[in-house]
Amino acid sequence: MAFGLNRAELIGRLGADVVVNHLQSGGRVANLSIATDESYIDAKTGERQDRTEWHRAVTFQDGLIDMLVKHAKKGRLVYIAGKLQTRRWKKPGEESDRFSTEILLVPGGRVQFLDKANGNGAKPDPDMSGDPGAAQASEPADFDDDRIPF
C-alpha cells in the first residue's frame, strides 16, 4: 500500500505580476514568482543577515487563472497551499536534462491575499480556494515598499 503526503504552504510577496501562457492544447497556465524572507545572526560576525528565497507556483485551473489575472500583482502578500512538483525537460541543443521544482496549485489547494489591493483601503481579498467555509484574513498587513527586495 502506498502512502505519502505532498503539501507545500508559503506566505510571501509576489515578485512580479502573474504570467499567463497559452498551451498548444488550448489551455492556459499561470506562473507566480513568490519571495519569502528570513533573518538570522551570522555566527562569525554576529551581524543580522537577511536572505530571500524565491519560489515558483503554477496552476492550470481556468477560474483560478482568471482571479490571479485580476489580483496577483507585484508586491502583494499572498498565502498559497499546493503540492510540490518537479518537471524535467531538455532544452534543444543540450545533452543534460533541466529540472524545475514548483508549487502546483490544484483543486483543493488555496490562494489567499493577505493585504489590501493597491493600498486603496479595500478589505482583504477573500480566500480563493473555492472552499466556502475557509477563513479570510481579518487584518491586512502593512508593509514598507522600500523593504521589498525586488
Side-chain angles (χ1 to χ4, degrees):
M1 169 165 68
F3 178 77
L5 175 66
N6 182 348
R7 182 170 174 88
E9 296 179 290
L10 291 179
I11 294 177
R13 297 227 177 258
L14 295 176
D17 292 356
V18 65
V19 175
V20 178
N21 292 307
H22 295 273
L23 305 172
Q24 289 180 345
S25 64
R28 297 181 298 165
V29 59
N31 296 282
L32 297 170
S33 177
I34 302 167
T36 56
D37 296 320
E38 64 179 315
S39 297
Y40 62 94
I41 303 299
D42 186 293
K44 293 180 182 178
T45 66
E47 294 181 17
R48 180 180 158 199
Q49 300 292 319
D50 295 321
R51 187 175 80 144
T52 301
E53 186 75 30
W54 289 93
H55 314 272
R56 291 178 45 90
V58 300
T59 187
F60 297 89
Q61 299 177 69
D62 280 330
L64 184 55
I65 292 171
D66 292 340
M67 183 279 299
L68 291 171
V69 167
K70 291 179 186 174
H71 301 287
K73 305 298 181 196
K74 179 179 178 178
R76 297 272 331 251
L77 184 64
V78 66
Y79 165 79
I80 65 166
K83 68 179 192 173
L84 290 177
Q85 171 180 278
T86 301
R87 290 184 298 120
R88 178 173 143 182
W89 73 96
K90 283 192 183 215
K91 192 170 182 181
E94 292 184 3
E95 291 184 26
S96 60
D97 289 344
R98 291 182 174 231
F99 297 88
S100 177
T101 300
E102 50 208 9
I103 299 168
L104 180 62
L105 302 171
V106 295
R110 193 167 171 179
V111 173
Q112 184 174 355
F113 292 97
L114 303 176
D115 62 357
K116 299 175 188 176
N118 301 322
N120 63 6
K123 291 183 180 179
D125 293 326
D127 176 350
M128 299 299 174
S129 66
D131 177 1
Q136 294 183 13
S138 57
E139 289 291 325
D142 292 327
F143 68 94
D144 180 4
D145 288 339
D146 295 333
R147 291 186 30 197
I148 298 175
F150 38 84

